[in-house]
Amino acid sequence: MVSPAHFITKDSVPTLVGYGGKDTTVPAGNAQATKKALEESGIDYTYIFYPNSSHMLFEDYESAHLYDSALNVYLYKYFGY
């Protein structure tokens, strides 16, 4: 019941989601449920998968670079910087 998926509504903010393919802390189903809830609510989101990372997302340089780029786009689009 603490999954972010349970709290997403049409009024939720645009979201960046990162998930590690080797995460043993948060089940993969939670990431999929979050993506589904964002889509169904019409929320703009970006999902970055880290195939070789655990929960802390340290093991995938390319995915981290994609996330950093997505964060820069997000900051500019929604905050103007």
Side-chain angles (χ1 to χ4, degrees):
M1 293 304 298
V2 297
S3 171
H6 297 291
F7 300 97
I8 296 168
T9 70
K10 65 176 182 57
D11 297 319
S12 294
V13 298
T15 303
L16 293 174
V17 179
Y19 183 76
K22 296 181 178 180
D23 192 336
T24 58
T25 303
V26 176
N30 284 9
Q32 298 307 315
T34 299
K35 284 174 47 180
K36 182 179 177 185
L38 289 164
E39 289 169 6
E40 290 176 350
S41 297
I43 303 303
D44 185 24
Y45 77 96
T46 300
Y47 176 83
I48 307 290
F49 183 66
Y50 292 68
N52 300 306
S53 290
S54 61
H55 188 69
M56 298 304 290
L57 307 176
F58 290 139
E59 291 87 2
D60 289 282
Y61 175 78
E62 288 181 23
S63 296
H65 180 70
L66 290 173
Y67 193 93
D68 288 345
S69 294
L71 178 59
N72 286 329
V73 168
Y74 181 95
L75 290 172
Y76 184 78
K77 184 175 182 179
Y78 297 106
F79 296 100
Y81 56 85

